[in-house]
Amino acid sequence: MKPDILLVEKMMPYVEERLDADYTVHRMYDPEAKAALEAALPNIRAVATGGGTGLSNEWIEKLPLLGVIAINGVGTDKVDLPFARARNIDVTTTPGVLTDDVADMGIALMLGSLRHIAKGDAFVRAGQWGKEGFPLGNSPKGKRLGILGLGQIGKAFGRRAEVFGMDIRFWNRSPVKDTSWKACASPVALAEDSDVLCVIVAANAETQNIVDADVLKALGPKGILINIARGSVVDEDALLAALNDGTIGGAGIDVYLNEPRIREDFFTAPNTVLAPHQGSATVETRVAMGELVLANIAAHFAGEKPPTTVN
Ligand code: 8YV
């Protein structure tokens, strides 16, 4: 008998095939699998889920034999880590393997915003080229980049931005020793000293809405906000107001509150490039993330500590 596991959201077919080979996989996202899932709840011993989706405490309580929650991502904001630990459940993530792709996505959004890539695409397709003018973009070279949250991904973003000739500064909650970039005293001080502000801080209770109306005002009417962290770290009311009234110049956004049903106000926000949470979404990285999910679940069933346990 293959052990029962729960798959909360879709993973790439290659990874799902590997899961199916070793386990009886109950898919939470498949409405047709609901009855079988209900019947299997007492037997489920492992969960695989996404960073943006996690697993609620309500669900954890439905699974008495649960021993591991394998997050296919690095964000732990959607799993209550102490709650899981108190039930002897290991929570694992996929550190390291997605750093470069998420940083690349931030760069793509920054250049997309500075150079009007999405607007240009729509302009060409609409046959407007030659009929009306197209706005000049802005060069990243010589611009001040503020990185809000200087972890692994923040550093990878900064290294890339240096190649574009940007001047880097950052704010981080705890001091960062291994950098020569300038540290700013607060998110507002960072925004005041930045032309582009990239948010890549871990989401938790302390960082909720850390980018608020004051930070956006400090960024200013030419400033560009890039969010590759989580929707919860930006006050979306303040952001939408700032985009619409010109308090900031534009934004490149990969993450939102209530994904995938984001606020429709984003659809009409000016000078804004939107991506559907694609930071780690490359074939190469999703294979590497999948391998870690598989290894963590396999370790649990082998009676070993899952290798990338975080709680
Ligand atoms: C993934 C993420 O898109 O790492 C994270 O926390 O949010 C992303 O890498 C997600 O985990 C896949 O659902």
Side-chain angles (χ1 to χ4, degrees), residues 148 187-188 197 199 201 203-217 219 225-227 229-245 247-248 250-251 253 255-258 263 265-266 269 272:
L148 205 157
V188 168
L197 180 64
V199 190
V201 74
N204 52 45
E206 288 83 53
T207 59
Q208 185 172 10
N209 290 343
I210 194 165
V211 176
D212 58 10
D214 291 341
V215 171
L216 295 166
K217 189 160 174 254
L219 184 57
L225 181 80
I226 305 298
N227 187 6
R230 280 286 186 268
S232 64
V233 303
V234 174
D235 178 339
E236 288 191 347
D237 283 331
L239 173 59
L240 287 160
L243 285 165
N244 282 309
D245 67 17
T247 298
I248 66 169
I253 308 173
V255 286
Y256 313 78
L257 285 175
N258 305 323
R263 293 175 56 167
D265 297 347
F266 279 110
T272 305

Side-chain angles (χ1 to χ4, degrees), residues 9 50-52 72-75 98 230 277 280 286 289:
E9 65 173 35
N72 185 38
V74 291
L98 49 68
R230 280 286 186 268
H277 198 148
S280 69
R286 285 291 165 83
M289 291 163 69

Side-chain angles (χ1 to χ4, degrees), residues 9-11 49-54 71-77 93-94 98 102 153 228-230 254-255 259 276-281 285-286 289:
E9 65 173 35
K10 281 189 180 162
M11 294 178 71
T49 186
T53 312
I71 298 174
N72 185 38
V74 291
T76 56
D77 50 309
T93 60
T94 62
L98 49 68
V102 178
I153 301 172
I228 50 172
R230 280 286 186 268
D254 190 40
V255 286
E259 296 172 10
H277 198 148
Q278 294 291 292
S280 69
T285 288
R286 285 291 165 83
M289 291 163 69

Side-chain angles (χ1 to χ4, degrees), residues 25-77:
V25 182
H26 301 276
R27 290 169 163 82
M28 199 196 275
Y29 59 82
D30 178 2
E32 285 176 17
K34 201 165 182 242
L37 168 58
E38 290 288 326
L41 293 178
N43 305 322
I44 286 174
R45 293 164 60 194
V47 169
T49 186
T53 312
L55 192 70
S56 66
N57 289 349
E58 202 187 332
W59 265 97
I60 291 176
E61 282 182 326
K62 286 188 198 178
L63 308 172
L65 291 188
L66 185 61
V68 63
I69 300 172
I71 298 174
N72 185 38
V74 291
T76 56
D77 50 309

